[in-house]
Amino acid sequence: MLTTKACSRCPSVTSSARPTTAGRIRPVITNNVNGARHRAIQICLAATTVDAPVKTKRAVVVLPGLGNATGDYNDFVQELEERDISATVAEVKRIDWLRNAAGLLDINYWKGTLKPRPTVDWYLDRITAAVEQAKEKSGDAQVCLLAHSAGGWMARVWMLENGVDSIDTIITLGSPLQPPPPGVVDQTRGILTYVAEASPGAFHPEVKYVCLNGKFIEGRALGDGAASLGSRLTGLGYKQVYGSAEVWGDGITPVPIGMLEGATCVELEGVYHSPLGAGEGRPWYGTPEILDQWVNFIKVPAIEEEVIASS
């Protein structure tokens, strides 16, 4: 099940997503502001008649999450290619993540005010290489970034520094996009706080932002004896990044911190965080039946029809 809404700092948004006869999704989004007049916005993701020329293949760049490697996304790439999408994964080895340890030598790491460079220079370079490769492979001038987990805030850093001439869409998959609340340690030692301040919300107006967040498990407080051990352990992780254990998330990223103001935010029921550990009964964002719920965000720009209605 797919639910589309804005983040908690935006006007309240509700949605119902109904497959069309062709199996596509038509979320109907309604913004209610203080119980007054509201706008009903119908977003048609189906590929209907449009004036723009139709491309044979859409180019996407997959950005691996923390601890993941390029090969972890092989099945995902295959599913994308079968849907006529040209997919390129940034070249990342699992051992590459040890490069982040360079941040330990920076006094700002210990102060919690670390900035992206030079700690994640290596990853930003991989994004550049992947974007160029994807453009050459597809023949397209622009690509869609599919940013998994930490790849989400890495992508925001990259766009801030490199501009968005080559990017028309970014879709985050279970990415922590908001810094923790006051009193909670930033697990990125300041980088995420820096990103949120330097490029708040859907920062680039020419880029379409979509935030996908799985609702796989609800966290519970460690002392909640009535809750399962899994819920309590998951709650510990949620609390480290969100400040509260009792919240829904994909097992790693709580839903509220995976949203950006001004973006299209989508909640996916029963979806787990990573391809590692995914399987029967534990689908992740790239599992075929889940991918089919949001793939049209990649394929075509949203066609928005605004209808003014009274509450």
Side-chain angles (χ1 to χ4, degrees):
M1 178 181 177
L2 174 150
T3 304
T4 308
K5 65 181 184 179
C7 72
S8 59
R9 288 178 288 180
C10 303
S12 173
V13 178
T14 58
S15 164
S16 58
R18 296 182 288 276
T20 67
T21 54
R24 294 175 289 238
I25 294 172
R26 290 178 188 270
V28 178
I29 305 176
T30 304
N31 288 3
N32 297 304
V33 184
N34 298 326
R37 292 172 60 84
H38 63 280
R39 293 184 178 186
I41 304 174
Q42 182 170 336
I43 299 179
C44 175
L45 303 179
T48 56
T49 302
V50 293
D51 294 333
V54 178
K55 297 184 177 69
T56 303
K57 279 201 172 186
R58 176 76 157 107
V60 303
V61 172
V62 179
L63 303 181
L66 180 65
N68 287 107
T70 301
D72 296 340
Y73 303 90
N74 287 346
D75 290 344
F76 186 32
V77 167
Q78 181 177 340
E79 293 295 336
L80 290 168
E81 295 284 355
E82 289 178 358
R83 290 161 176 78
D84 292 325
I85 297 170
S86 176
T88 301
V89 186
E91 189 62 40
V92 174
K93 297 178 181 178
R94 230 174 294 284
I95 197 171
D96 284 332
W97 293 101
L98 294 177
R99 298 167 182 260
N100 290 0
L104 294 168
L105 302 178
D106 190 327
I107 187 61
N108 289 298
Y109 176 94
W110 304 103
K111 293 167 62 178
T113 56
L114 193 65
K115 289 182 172 58
R117 292 192 180 275
T119 303
V120 296
D121 280 0
W122 68 273
Y123 193 102
L124 300 177
D125 290 342
R126 307 295 172 86
I127 296 178
T128 299
V131 168
E132 293 306 313
Q133 181 183 350
K135 288 162 57 179
E136 181 177 354
K137 177 181 172 183
S138 67
D140 204 347
Q142 291 186 308
V143 306
C144 167
L145 297 179
L146 298 183
H148 175 224
S149 195
W153 57 261
M154 296 274 204
R156 293 167 70 196
V157 173
W158 187 90
M159 291 191 298
L160 192 63
E161 295 189 352
N162 293 272
V164 293
D165 288 346
S166 297
I167 311 299
D168 60 19
T169 303
I170 176 173
I171 302 176
T172 60
L173 316 176
S175 296
L177 301 172
Q178 300 291 342
V184 178
V185 175
D186 183 348
Q187 298 299 309
T188 65
R189 304 308 302 165
I191 294 180
L192 190 51
T193 299
Y194 166 84
V195 173
E197 292 175 351
S199 58
F203 186 69
H204 302 278
E206 61 269 58
V207 174
K208 179 175 67 178
Y209 286 73
V210 180
C211 304
L212 305 182
N213 294 284
K215 293 181 68 177
F216 181 73
I217 184 171
E218 184 179 18
R220 301 301 291 269
L222 187 61
D224 187 348
S228 68
L229 178 60
S231 294
R232 286 181 283 165
L233 292 177
T234 300
L236 277 177
Y238 290 167
K239 189 172 183 177
Q240 288 181 348
V241 294
Y242 179 59
S244 174
E246 297 176 334
V247 63
W248 276 95
D250 62 11
I252 299 294
T253 303
V255 169
I257 69 166
M259 297 181 174
L260 285 176
E261 185 173 357
T264 298
C265 299
V266 180
E267 295 179 10
L268 297 164
E269 296 288 341
V271 174
Y272 179 65
H273 180 76
S274 175
L276 298 180
E280 188 69 28
R282 184 183 281 198
W284 86 290
Y285 300 93
T287 299
E289 62 268 25
I290 304 303
L291 175 58
D292 284 338
Q293 295 184 41
W294 60 268
V295 69
N296 281 321
F297 282 116
I298 300 174
K299 284 190 173 181
V300 293
I303 303 169
E304 299 186 1
E305 178 186 353
E306 295 193 3
V307 180
I308 305 300
S310 59
S311 58

